[in-house]
């Protein structure tokens, strides 16, 4: 039955002859693992196409939905993180294997007559591989891809004569936004694959015409004697190499948990973007130049590198393929690889030593993790940064930023600094030791006069614990709290403050529930209440500016600045 079906297909398609042509192609000089890189590269390209199609089932090329769709793939689609990881790490694998393939063909002199066009097509495909990486980097529409790609389009915009038109074409107008994303998506999914597959087809046609370039130094008789058919000798080696490549790719994907996803792109926030590793050498070079030179180098360095590669077949035109007879030409390629590796190492070392950069990376990672967690609750229709609206403290943070931050954060503060750690044990201790310090009431006009407490050691600890408990801090030590109350009631603190929450008219505010949400609501609404700061108050009455629910949200946000304490 199978033979009859095969005969029927062969009569109509001639597939057996085609298969014989493919599998029985002679390999001059015999099979070799040196020839596997092209097949491995073709396999990785297939991996990119397959995983890209799978991702496209869920991806939405819209600036409002792109990040949300990628977060959905990562966290909710079965094995979505693995598929995306294979695709993302596959891009790196393509660059690596393409580099190895280029190096092998250069060593074997496979760019010499009559294979010049095959070499040129290979260099052109290498350019397209980098273009794939660049366009794909933006598609998640996260902070990392957004800012890195914005820099890249800015560089493209510096091209003499055509730069403005190129930048506008890529951006879809004067602004960087939704049209930019859709154009990069179209390039990544339609234009570049069509170009790459077209060049690959031409590359394979020429390869079939000229065959493999055998190892140098063998006579025609020796090559003929060693010649083997592609099947099974070379195909077996290709399959072994492909299996090893896929195992490494899958292993890296599993070990790294796929590919990271930064927080949603936010054009209003700064971000220290770094390009992917294969663009780091250029990134490092640009550090050494400034002004107009930076733009010249950003465009000139890639042009010089690829120009040198394209010129190689026309510079080295001698018949001898021995590497020892072509040292100057191979030295140029070696210097390109060594230079790129050195610049890559310098860039990574500089980042590793930059403590401020590492701090910002940590903060960005925390923001990304927070966004991913909130996305599981559902992303609002506005998408992107709107995911943070799922956070309970989001509205409070927004109102605080608009209404309160000017007086309580930054160099232009007018009141106590309200930042992370406010009302923690450490903050309370520092406050008691220096009430009129710049972090506290030192910048106010009239709320002065409290002297640093004289208590130390266990007594200071107990007083801090009492105030911590008044603010509603979790895990307050009961015995310390009681000791603190006793110190408060019998010491100088009670001369200016009560802690019952109702007594008014004293020198200082009533400390009953001080720092807790209800106390903060009262403070934000009207800090001039008699039980608070009274006539000494300098803070606006926000009950006249904000709704009760907005005041409640700001109070909840400020109370949450303390963070979790053990």
């Amino acid at each position: 039955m199978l033979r009859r079906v095969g005969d029927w297909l062969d009569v109509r398609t001639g597939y057996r002859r085609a298969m014989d042509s493919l599998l029985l192609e002679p390999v001059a000089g015999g099979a070799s693992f040196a020839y596997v890189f092209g097949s491995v590269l073709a396999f990785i390209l297939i991996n990119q196409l397959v995983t890209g199609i799978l991702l496209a089932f869920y991806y939405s090329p819209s600036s409002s939905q792109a990040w949300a769709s990628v977060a959905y793939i990562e966290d909710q689609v079965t094995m979505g993180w693995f598929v995306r990881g294979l695709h993302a790490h596959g891009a790196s694998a393509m660059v690596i294997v393409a580099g190895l393939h280029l190096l092998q063909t250069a060593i074997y002199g496979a760019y010499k007559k009559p294979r010049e066009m095959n070499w040129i097509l290979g260099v052109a495909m290498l350019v397209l591989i980098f273009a794939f990486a660049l366009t794909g980097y933006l598609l998640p529409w996260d902070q990392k891809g957004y800012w890195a790609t914005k820099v890249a389009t800015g560089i493209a915009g510096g091209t003499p004569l055509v730069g403005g038109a190129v930048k506008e074409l890529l951006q879809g107008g004067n602004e960087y936004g939704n049209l930019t994303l859709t154009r990069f998506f179209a390039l990544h999914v339609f234009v570049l694959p069509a170009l790459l597959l077209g060049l690959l087809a031409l590359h394979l046609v020429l390869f079939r015409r000229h065959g493999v370039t055998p190892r140098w130094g063998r006579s025609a008789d020796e090559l003929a004697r060693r010649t083997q058919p592609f099947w099974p000798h070379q195909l077996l080696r290709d399959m072994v190499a492909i299996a090893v490549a896929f195992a490494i790719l899958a292993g890296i994907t599993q070990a790294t948990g796929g590919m990271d996803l930064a927080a949603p792109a936010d054009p209003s926030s700064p971000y220290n973007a770094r390009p992917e590793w294969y663009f780091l050498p250029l990134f490092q070079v640009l550090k050494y130049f400034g002004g107009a030179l930076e733009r010249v180098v950003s465009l000139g360095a890639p042009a010089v590198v690829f120009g040198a590669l394209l010129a190689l077949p026309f510079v080295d035109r001698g018949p001898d393929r021995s590497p020892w007879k072509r040292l100057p030409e191979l030295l140029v390629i070696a210097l390109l690889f060594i230079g790129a590796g050195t610049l890559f190492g310098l860039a990574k070392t500089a980042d590793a030593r930059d403590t401020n950069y590492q701090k910002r990376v940590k903060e960005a990672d925390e923001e990304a993790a927070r966004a991913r967690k909130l996305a599981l609750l559902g992303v609002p229709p506005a998408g992107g940064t709107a995911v943070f609206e799922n956070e309970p403290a989001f509205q409070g943070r927004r109102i605080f930023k608009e209404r309160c931050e000017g007086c309580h954060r930054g160099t232009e503060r007018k009141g106590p600094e309200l930042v992370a750690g406010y009302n923690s044990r450490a903050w309370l201790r520092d406050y008691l030791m220096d009430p009129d310090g710049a972090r506290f009431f030192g910048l106010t006009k009239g709320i002065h006069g409290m002297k640093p407490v004289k208590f130390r050691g266990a007594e200071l600890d107990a007083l801090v614990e009492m105030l911590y408990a008044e603010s509603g801090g979790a895990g307050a030590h009961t015995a310390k709290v009681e000791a603190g109350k006793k110190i408060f009631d019998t010491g100088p603190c009670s001369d200016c403050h009560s802690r019952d929450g109702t007594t008014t008219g004293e020198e200082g505010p009533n400390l009953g529930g001080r720092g807790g949400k209800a106390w903060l609501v009262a403070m934000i609404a009207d800090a001039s209440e008699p039980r608070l700061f009274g006539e000494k108050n300098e803070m606006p009455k926000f009950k006249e500016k904000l709704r009760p629910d907005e005041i409640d949200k700001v109070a909840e946000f400020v109370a949450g600045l303390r963070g979790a304490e053990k």
Side-chain angles (χ1 to χ4, degrees):
M1 176 65 73
L2 290 176
R3 180 176 292 277
R4 289 172 61 189
V5 171
D7 291 342
W8 186 89
L9 285 173
D10 187 46
V11 169
R12 289 156 180 81
T13 64
Y15 81 92
R16 284 174 177 157
R17 183 176 179 180
M19 291 297 294
D20 286 345
S21 175
L22 287 173
L23 296 177
L24 301 180
E25 176 189 8
V27 179
S32 172
F33 276 105
Y35 306 144
V36 302
F37 297 110
S39 297
V40 173
L41 194 55
F43 165 76
I44 296 173
L45 176 59
I46 293 171
N47 171 80
Q48 296 303 94
L49 293 173
V50 172
T51 54
I53 291 170
L54 293 175
L55 293 173
F57 282 131
Y58 298 95
Y59 178 73
S60 176
S62 159
S63 60
S64 62
Q65 297 300 318
W67 185 89
S69 64
V70 177
Y72 180 77
I73 291 169
E74 283 284 334
D75 298 323
Q76 298 186 59
V77 175
T78 303
M79 295 299 288
W81 66 271
F82 188 75
V83 173
R84 180 170 176 256
L86 285 178
H87 191 77
H89 293 304
S92 293
M94 283 195 74
V95 174
I96 293 171
V97 177
L100 292 174
H101 188 42
L102 181 145
L103 192 59
Q104 182 268 323
T105 53
I107 291 173
Y108 273 58
Y111 54 78
K112 288 178 173 289
K113 182 182 177 180
R115 298 179 174 86
E116 297 96 333
M117 280 305 302
N118 232 15
W119 172 265
I120 292 171
L121 290 173
V123 174
M125 286 191 286
L126 182 60
V127 173
L128 290 181
I129 288 172
F130 282 113
F132 261 113
L134 181 63
T135 53
Y137 207 51
L138 179 68
L139 299 188
W141 203 247
D142 61 354
Q143 287 281 71
K144 183 171 67 173
Y146 177 90
W147 289 104
T149 311
K150 191 167 187 178
V151 171
T153 54
I155 292 173
T159 306
L161 300 179
V162 298
V166 169
K167 185 177 181 180
E168 186 174 345
L169 178 65
L170 290 174
Q171 288 186 174
N174 295 323
E175 298 297 326
Y176 200 79
N178 191 66
L179 283 177
T180 312
L181 178 61
T182 55
R183 292 194 177 196
F184 272 64
F185 177 76
L187 288 170
H188 190 77
V189 175
F190 301 112
V191 178
L192 292 176
L195 290 174
L196 185 60
L197 291 175
L199 291 181
L200 179 61
L202 290 174
H203 192 72
L204 291 176
V205 167
L206 293 178
F207 174 77
R208 296 277 299 177
R209 175 181 175 86
H210 302 300
V212 300
T213 304
R215 192 180 186 281
W216 62 93
R218 291 176 178 172
S219 65
D221 291 341
E222 184 180 3
L223 289 176
R225 188 173 65 254
R226 289 172 172 264
T227 295
Q228 295 174 316
F230 180 77
W231 162 263
H233 306 283
Q234 186 59 47
L235 182 60
L236 178 61
R237 288 169 171 78
D238 287 352
M239 294 308 295
V240 169
I242 288 171
V244 171
F246 182 73
I248 294 173
L249 183 59
I252 291 174
T253 301
Q254 177 67 41
T256 58
M259 189 65 178
D260 62 339
L261 177 65
D266 183 0
S268 65
S269 70
Y271 186 84
N272 290 101
R274 292 292 186 273
E276 276 294 344
W277 66 268
Y278 30 80
F279 290 124
L280 275 180
L282 179 59
F283 174 79
Q284 184 64 23
V285 165
L286 297 182
K287 291 181 181 180
Y288 306 131
F289 300 91
L293 272 179
E294 180 179 2
R295 183 163 293 176
V296 171
V297 172
S298 64
L299 297 168
V304 169
V305 170
F306 287 106
L309 293 176
L310 289 172
L312 190 60
F314 307 101
V315 173
D316 182 14
R317 302 175 65 181
D320 200 325
R321 291 189 297 105
S322 172
W324 309 112
K325 302 293 180 61
R326 298 181 292 116
L327 286 179
E329 291 81 5
L330 294 181
L331 182 60
V332 171
I333 294 178
L335 288 175
L336 291 178
F337 277 87
I338 293 171
T342 302
L343 290 167
F344 170 81
L346 290 172
K348 297 296 288 186
T349 302
D351 283 345
R353 292 175 177 174
D354 188 342
T355 55
N356 289 329
Y357 172 72
Q358 293 301 325
K359 179 182 178 181
R360 292 190 293 269
V361 168
K362 182 179 179 182
E363 292 171 350
D365 289 343
E366 291 172 352
E367 184 181 31
R370 185 160 55 93
R372 293 269 292 274
K373 185 177 180 180
L374 293 171
L376 294 174
L377 303 175
V379 180
T385 55
V387 70
F388 292 111
E389 294 180 15
N390 291 335
E391 197 170 35
F394 172 80
Q395 293 295 338
R397 179 185 289 106
R398 180 183 60 79
I399 298 169
F400 180 90
K401 186 172 183 179
E402 293 173 356
R403 297 281 190 164
C404 315
E405 193 169 272
C407 291
H408 291 285
R409 289 183 178 177
T411 57
E412 303 298 322
R413 282 190 299 109
K414 298 178 181 179
E417 187 178 45
L418 301 184
V419 294
Y422 170 69
N423 269 340
S424 64
R425 289 183 178 94
W427 188 94
L428 291 167
R429 180 182 296 275
D430 290 344
Y431 173 70
L432 292 176
M433 297 289 287
D434 185 19
D436 273 351
R439 290 174 56 199
F440 308 111
F441 288 100
L443 300 179
T444 59
K445 296 177 181 178
I447 306 176
H448 288 288
M450 179 173 167
K451 297 179 181 180
V453 300
K454 296 182 179 180
F455 301 109
R456 296 293 184 271
E459 290 181 318
L460 180 59
D461 291 343
L463 198 58
V464 167
E465 199 71 11
M466 185 211 77
L467 292 172
Y468 177 74
E470 287 290 346
S471 71
H477 193 280
T478 304
K480 283 187 178 182
V481 171
E482 292 303 316
K485 289 179 180 179
K486 185 176 180 181
I487 293 169
F488 184 94
D489 292 338
T490 60
C493 301
S494 59
D495 294 342
C496 299
H497 303 278
S498 294
R499 58 179 184 84
D500 58 7
T502 58
T503 301
T504 62
E506 295 184 299
E507 183 71 18
N510 194 305
L511 301 184
R514 187 221 160 273
K517 182 180 174 181
W519 189 88
L520 289 168
V521 166
M523 178 70 71
I524 295 166
D526 184 5
S528 65
E529 277 190 28
R531 70 185 179 97
L532 298 174
F533 286 106
E535 294 180 355
K536 295 181 180 180
N537 174 57
E538 300 172 22
M539 182 169 153
K541 298 178 182 180
F542 281 96
K543 66 181 181 181
E544 301 172 356
K545 302 173 182 291
L546 298 174
R547 299 191 309 269
D549 64 302
E550 292 178 320
I551 292 174
D552 188 78
K553 288 171 181 175
V554 175
E556 187 173 2
F557 168 73
V558 175
L561 290 174
R562 174 176 49 217
E565 288 205 30
K566 295 181 180 179

